Amino acid sequence: MVKKIRDLNERILARARDVGSNAPDGYERALRGMADFETKIAGASQLDWVKALAASHTTFLTEVGTLYANALRGTLTDRSVSEP
């Protein structure tokens, strides 16, 4: 009985790690989608300053998002290595 509980617990933890490790990828995809949409909308503008502002904002958004996601990945990797 104890072995069954231990095996179930290990499967639950493994699944939780898998789901958690996929979260940063989903976050990055969502940010890229928002940035692409913003770029598309700004491209329809006749004003150059609106296009430039949107380009700067999307660059900032994707770079900060990538840094955040990479830091999160590093944290998840560090935890999974240190835990049994």
Side-chain angles (χ1 to χ4, degrees), residues 19-81:
V19 169
S21 66
N22 291 330
D25 296 335
Y27 175 77
E28 271 190 299
R29 278 193 304 273
L31 281 179
R32 282 194 190 112
M34 289 175 20
D36 291 345
F37 179 73
E38 185 176 338
T39 301
K40 230 180 247 186
I41 295 297
S45 174
Q46 301 285 327
L47 304 172
D48 289 337
W49 68 269
V50 171
K51 292 177 184 179
L53 181 64
S56 295
H57 183 255
T58 57
T59 299
F60 174 78
L61 183 69
T62 54
E63 286 179 1
V64 169
T66 298
L67 288 173
Y68 178 75
N70 287 339
L72 186 57
R73 280 187 198 99
T75 301
L76 291 172
T77 301
D78 292 344
R79 282 190 179 166
S80 65
V81 168

